Amino acid sequence: MSTLATNAPHVARTASFALRTTQRLSRALLLDRSFRFWVDELAPVASRAELRARVLSVVDVTHDVKTFVLAPRVWPGHLPGQWVPVEVEVGGIRLRRCYSISSPPNDPHVELTVKRIPGGRVSNWMHTHLHAGDFVRLGAPSGDFVLPETKPTKLLLLSGGSGATPLIAILRDLAHRRALEDVTYLHAARSRRDVLFASELARLSSLHPGLRVVLHLDDASPRLDATQLWVLVPDLAHRETFLCGPTGMMDAVAPAFLGFEGRLHHERFVAAKPAAAASGAGARIHLGRSKRTITTTGRGTLLDELEQAGERLEYGCRMGICNTCRCAKRSGVVENVLTGAISNEPDDDIRLCVSVARSDLTLAL
């Protein structure tokens, strides 16, 4: 009895210390923005809905382009030419962007080649803050900018700037499969220092006689347009063409395909044009779940308008590609500003980033 009485204060102090320590640790973890991430890392079953990848290395491709080599814990596989949503935390806010996968399916790792865009929040953050050993969240690979199951007999891969990223994945896959027969790879860049994958292109063309690599440099040649394209690729009409690049370049070469438009496949990574979105009038948007009603200005897409009204919505590409902002329209009329398609049926799925209201709406948000 005397021993227990003597140790009682010590036991109480020990218990109190343990409790304070536990409370401090809990507060630290709860305040740590990476808490959820580490919980998910330590409990893989709890994070099945999200795909995480460790950054293995970061490689300088040009002065403003880097390749991030990733090791996803689980990878569902992808097709050459597809893209993947990438989610990072910038200034305490989760942001998501879609990037083309530049590695072929046979590569044991996943590579994303990202150009630093002036003012771009995610690309600048990745270039500055994402290093080997860090983690990013990935979505599911997607996209239909892929070759048909049977490779076209005559193929043109036509890219401008960072539009080379999906096409290099296609090229690498064809090289791996020894299927580079009668393939022309034409890449347009501002100058030689802006050419993506220059040394690899030279190596592949030396190894594969069926591959013809053509570089068009803006500082040494007339601007690439339909006329120039015919000069560089005289048998253009007979080639299945996969095109990805800046809007101006894609618009400039598009007339070259008049009469055989079906041979042209393209990927546009551009946002919906504000001018097209601005042609509507204001409308009342009723949000079914939150019971909130918002009056729009008619000067932006539904995603723009809802964000300006304070709604925090998930989005990815803001180009109508990734479907992250897809939601059900319960009633009303919207227009797709990319295609001009009108949705006036109830319960249609719409993409907020490329839709404008053409009447009062009810959305399942």
Side-chain angles (χ1 to χ4, degrees), residues 10-28:
H10 174 70
V11 172
R13 285 195 299 273
T14 301
S16 176
F17 174 77
L19 177 61
R20 290 197 302 273
T21 301
T22 302
Q23 289 173 334
R24 283 198 297 271
L25 179 60
S26 298
R27 283 197 296 271

CSV table of all heavy atoms in Angstrom, one decimal, residues 10-28:
chain,number,residue,atom,x,y,z
A,10,HIS,N,3.7,10.0,-9.4
A,10,HIS,CA,4.5,9.8,-10.6
A,10,HIS,C,3.7,9.3,-11.8
A,10,HIS,O,3.8,9.7,-12.9
A,10,HIS,CB,5.6,8.8,-10.3
A,10,HIS,CG,6.4,8.4,-11.5
A,10,HIS,ND1,7.3,9.3,-12.1
A,10,HIS,CD2,6.5,7.2,-12.1
A,10,HIS,CE1,7.8,8.7,-13.2
A,10,HIS,NE2,7.4,7.4,-13.2
A,11,VAL,N,2.8,8.3,-11.4
A,11,VAL,CA,1.9,7.7,-12.4
A,11,VAL,C,1.0,8.8,-13.0
A,11,VAL,O,0.8,8.9,-14.3
A,11,VAL,CB,1.1,6.6,-11.8
A,11,VAL,CG1,0.0,6.1,-12.8
A,11,VAL,CG2,2.0,5.4,-11.4
A,12,ALA,N,0.5,9.7,-12.2
A,12,ALA,CA,-0.4,10.7,-12.6
A,12,ALA,C,0.4,11.7,-13.6
A,12,ALA,O,-0.2,12.1,-14.6
A,12,ALA,CB,-1.0,11.5,-11.4
A,13,ARG,N,1.6,12.1,-13.2
A,13,ARG,CA,2.4,13.0,-14.0
A,13,ARG,C,2.7,12.3,-15.4
A,13,ARG,O,2.6,13.0,-16.4
A,13,ARG,CB,3.7,13.3,-13.3
A,13,ARG,CG,3.5,14.3,-12.2
A,13,ARG,CD,4.9,14.9,-11.8
A,13,ARG,NE,5.8,13.9,-11.3
A,13,ARG,CZ,5.9,13.5,-10.0
A,13,ARG,NH1,5.1,14.0,-9.1
A,13,ARG,NH2,6.7,12.6,-9.7
A,14,THR,N,3.0,11.0,-15.3
A,14,THR,CA,3.3,10.3,-16.6
A,14,THR,C,2.1,10.3,-17.5
A,14,THR,O,2.2,10.5,-18.7
A,14,THR,CB,3.8,8.9,-16.3
A,14,THR,OG1,4.9,8.9,-15.4
A,14,THR,CG2,4.1,8.1,-17.5
A,15,ALA,N,0.9,10.0,-16.9
A,15,ALA,CA,-0.3,10.0,-17.7
A,15,ALA,C,-0.6,11.3,-18.3
A,15,ALA,O,-1.0,11.5,-19.4
A,15,ALA,CB,-1.4,9.5,-16.8
A,16,SER,N,-0.4,12.4,-17.4
A,16,SER,CA,-0.6,13.7,-17.9
A,16,SER,C,0.3,14.1,-19.1
A,16,SER,O,-0.1,14.7,-20.1
A,16,SER,CB,-0.5,14.7,-16.8
A,16,SER,OG,-0.7,16.0,-17.2
A,17,PHE,N,1.6,13.7,-18.9
A,17,PHE,CA,2.6,14.0,-20.0
A,17,PHE,C,2.2,13.3,-21.3
A,17,PHE,O,2.2,13.9,-22.4
A,17,PHE,CB,3.9,13.6,-19.5
A,17,PHE,CG,5.0,13.7,-20.6
A,17,PHE,CD1,5.5,14.9,-20.9
A,17,PHE,CD2,5.4,12.5,-21.3
A,17,PHE,CE1,6.5,15.0,-21.9
A,17,PHE,CE2,6.3,12.7,-22.3
A,17,PHE,CZ,6.9,13.9,-22.6
A,18,ALA,N,1.8,12.0,-21.1
A,18,ALA,CA,1.4,11.2,-22.3
A,18,ALA,C,0.2,11.9,-23.0
A,18,ALA,O,0.1,12.0,-24.2
A,18,ALA,CB,1.1,9.8,-21.9
A,19,LEU,N,-0.8,12.4,-22.2
A,19,LEU,CA,-2.0,13.0,-22.8
A,19,LEU,C,-1.6,14.3,-23.5
A,19,LEU,O,-2.1,14.5,-24.6
A,19,LEU,CB,-3.0,13.3,-21.6
A,19,LEU,CG,-4.3,14.0,-22.1
A,19,LEU,CD1,-5.0,13.1,-23.1
A,19,LEU,CD2,-5.2,14.3,-20.9
A,20,ARG,N,-0.8,15.1,-22.9
A,20,ARG,CA,-0.4,16.4,-23.6
A,20,ARG,C,0.4,16.1,-24.8
A,20,ARG,O,0.2,16.7,-25.9
A,20,ARG,CB,0.5,17.2,-22.6
A,20,ARG,CG,-0.3,17.8,-21.4
A,20,ARG,CD,0.5,18.9,-20.8
A,20,ARG,NE,1.8,18.5,-20.4
A,20,ARG,CZ,2.1,17.9,-19.2
A,20,ARG,NH1,1.1,17.8,-18.3
A,20,ARG,NH2,3.3,17.6,-18.9
A,21,THR,N,1.3,15.1,-24.8
A,21,THR,CA,2.0,14.7,-26.0
A,21,THR,C,1.1,14.3,-27.1
A,21,THR,O,1.2,14.7,-28.3
A,21,THR,CB,3.0,13.6,-25.7
A,21,THR,OG1,3.9,14.1,-24.6
A,21,THR,CG2,3.8,13.3,-26.9
A,22,THR,N,0.1,13.4,-26.7
A,22,THR,CA,-0.8,12.9,-27.7
A,22,THR,C,-1.6,14.1,-28.3
A,22,THR,O,-1.9,14.2,-29.5
A,22,THR,CB,-1.8,11.9,-27.1
A,22,THR,OG1,-1.0,10.8,-26.5
A,22,THR,CG2,-2.8,11.4,-28.1
A,23,GLN,N,-2.0,15.0,-27.4
A,23,GLN,CA,-2.8,16.2,-27.9
A,23,GLN,C,-2.0,17.0,-28.9
A,23,GLN,O,-2.5,17.5,-29.9
A,23,GLN,CB,-3.3,17.0,-26.8
A,23,GLN,CG,-4.4,16.3,-26.0
A,23,GLN,CD,-4.8,17.0,-24.7
A,23,GLN,OE1,-4.0,17.8,-24.2
A,23,GLN,NE2,-6.0,16.8,-24.2
A,24,ARG,N,-0.7,17.3,-28.5
A,24,ARG,CA,0.1,18.1,-29.4
A,24,ARG,C,0.4,17.4,-30.7
A,24,ARG,O,0.3,18.1,-31.8
A,24,ARG,CB,1.5,18.4,-28.7
A,24,ARG,CG,1.4,19.4,-27.6
A,24,ARG,CD,2.8,19.9,-27.3
A,24,ARG,NE,3.7,18.9,-26.8
A,24,ARG,CZ,3.8,18.6,-25.5
A,24,ARG,NH1,3.1,19.3,-24.6
A,24,ARG,NH2,4.6,17.6,-25.1
A,25,LEU,N,0.6,16.1,-30.7
A,25,LEU,CA,0.8,15.4,-31.9
A,25,LEU,C,-0.4,15.4,-32.8
A,25,LEU,O,-0.4,15.6,-34.0
A,25,LEU,CB,1.2,13.9,-31.6
A,25,LEU,CG,1.5,13.0,-32.8
A,25,LEU,CD1,2.6,13.6,-33.7
A,25,LEU,CD2,1.8,11.6,-32.4
A,26,SER,N,-1.6,15.2,-32.2
A,26,SER,CA,-2.8,15.2,-32.9
A,26,SER,C,-3.1,16.6,-33.6
A,26,SER,O,-3.4,16.7,-34.7
A,26,SER,CB,-4.0,14.9,-32.0
A,26,SER,OG,-3.8,13.6,-31.4
A,27,ARG,N,-2.8,17.7,-32.8
A,27,ARG,CA,-3.0,19.0,-33.4
A,27,ARG,C,-2.0,19.2,-34.5
A,27,ARG,O,-2.4,19.8,-35.6
A,27,ARG,CB,-2.8,20.1,-32.3
A,27,ARG,CG,-3.9,20.2,-31.3
A,27,ARG,CD,-3.8,21.6,-30.6
A,27,ARG,NE,-2.6,21.6,-29.8
A,27,ARG,CZ,-2.5,21.2,-28.5
A,27,ARG,NH1,-3.6,20.7,-27.9
A,27,ARG,NH2,-1.4,21.3,-27.8
A,28,ALA,N,-0.8,18.8,-34.3
A,28,ALA,CA,0.2,18.9,-35.4
A,28,ALA,C,-0.2,18.2,-36.7
A,28,ALA,O,-0.1,18.7,-37.8
A,28,ALA,CB,1.6,18.4,-35.0
